[in-house]
């Protein structure tokens, strides 16, 4: 199954099972790319949020006119910040921001329980590495990419280049079928 992409500079379609790395210098322009990824050619999508709370994810989806009926959110951050957590049918939480197993298990459950064209946004791998360490974040990415391949789904993984050593960025980059490099000026270079 192919999925349409409507992100400037990227291929028109990508096959199911594709993981895409979004490399960016700051988070300023990432919302636009993320929401363009989520709202195109999608039956259901999951946002794994390690950078913002579920409330902030909902605000982003609403601002960019993404169909929230198709959305599920996994908030890993609210517990760390001490915010109240109201679990609903579409908003879920893990025990801690470094709960890699809990995150991967939730993604697996989402993919198992939904049909059609499924997308995942992981925002952000940088934050996961901050809480869980680079090695655990790399292992989590490997496990999630395997799940995407098994379920013919696609995923967009955010990674900020600034906090990581070049070798760590290269380790992440090598795991993905496609890389979107978002420049400071908002321009995109894609390598697929």
């Amino acid at each position: 199954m192919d999925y349409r992409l409507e992100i400037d500079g990227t291929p028109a379609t990508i096959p199911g099972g594709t993981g895409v790395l979004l490399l960016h210098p700051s988070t300023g322009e990432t919302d636009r790319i993320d929401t363009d990824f989520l709202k195109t050619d999608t039956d259901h999508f999951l946002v794994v949020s390690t950078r913002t709370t579920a409330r902030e994810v909902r605000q982003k989806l609403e601002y960019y006119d993404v169909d929230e009926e198709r959305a599920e959110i996994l908030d890993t951050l609210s517990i760390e910040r001490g915010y109240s957590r109201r679990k609903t049918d579409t908003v879920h939480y893990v025990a801690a921001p470094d709960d890699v197993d809990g995150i991967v298990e939730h993604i697996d459950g989402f993919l198992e329980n939904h049909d059609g064209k499924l997308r995942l946004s992981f925002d952000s791998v940088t934050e996961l590495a901050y809480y869980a360490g680079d090695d655990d974040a790399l292992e989590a990415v490997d496990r999630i990419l395997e799940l995407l391949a098994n379920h013919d789904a696609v995923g967009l993984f955010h990674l900020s280049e600034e906090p990581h050593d070049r070798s760590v960025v290269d380790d992440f980059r090598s795991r993905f079928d496609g890389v979107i490099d978002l420049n400071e000026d908002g321009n995109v270079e894609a390598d697929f």
Side-chain angles (χ1 to χ4, degrees):
M1 168 172 18
D2 284 344
Y3 289 75
R4 284 196 328 272
L5 278 185
E6 292 190 9
I7 300 168
D8 290 341
T10 64
T13 62
I14 55 174
T18 299
V20 179
L21 181 64
L22 174 58
L23 279 175
H24 57 88
S26 69
T27 57
E29 287 286 320
T30 61
D31 285 354
R32 174 181 51 88
I33 291 175
D34 197 38
T35 52
D36 284 350
F37 176 79
L38 292 173
K39 68 182 172 184
T40 304
D41 199 20
T42 305
D43 294 309
H44 303 280
F45 65 85
L46 172 64
V47 177
V48 177
S49 187
T50 62
R51 185 177 62 83
T52 58
T53 64
R55 182 181 57 78
E56 292 167 302
V57 172
R58 284 192 181 282
Q59 290 171 341
K60 174 176 81 172
L61 297 177
E62 184 177 326
Y63 180 82
Y64 285 94
D65 197 29
V66 180
D67 184 358
E68 291 184 58
E69 296 291 316
R70 300 175 183 182
E72 192 170 303
I73 300 166
L74 180 62
D75 177 339
T76 72
L77 195 59
S78 285
I79 194 163
E80 174 73 9
R81 292 191 178 165
Y83 296 154
S84 63
R85 296 172 303 282
R86 293 181 197 90
K87 187 177 182 301
T88 68
D89 289 343
T90 58
V91 177
H92 308 273
Y93 300 89
V94 292
D98 62 351
D99 182 4
V100 171
D101 288 338
I103 292 168
V104 173
E105 285 167 18
H106 187 85
I107 293 168
D108 188 26
F110 170 83
L111 295 171
E112 281 287 337
N113 293 322
H114 291 85
D115 294 322
K117 292 193 171 184
L118 307 177
R119 293 184 189 241
L120 165 76
S121 168
F122 200 110
D123 184 9
S124 96
V125 176
T126 297
E127 294 296 324
L128 180 63
Y130 171 77
Y131 288 108
D134 291 338
D135 291 342
D136 283 351
L138 285 161
E139 181 192 336
V141 165
D142 288 338
R143 292 168 65 188
I144 296 165
L145 289 172
E146 186 175 333
L147 291 173
L148 293 177
N150 292 343
H151 292 278
D152 208 23
V154 293
L156 181 69
F157 296 73
H158 297 234
L159 184 73
S160 176
E161 295 178 87
E162 291 168 357
H164 300 288
D165 291 338
R166 180 86 249 155
S167 62
V168 173
V169 172
D170 290 343
D171 278 350
F172 279 110
R173 182 188 275 272
S174 69
R175 287 162 157 76
F176 290 89
D177 304 309
V179 177
I180 298 172
D181 204 334
L182 179 63
N183 300 328
E184 282 282 2
D185 56 10
N187 291 330
V188 166
E189 293 177 19
D191 180 16
F192 281 77

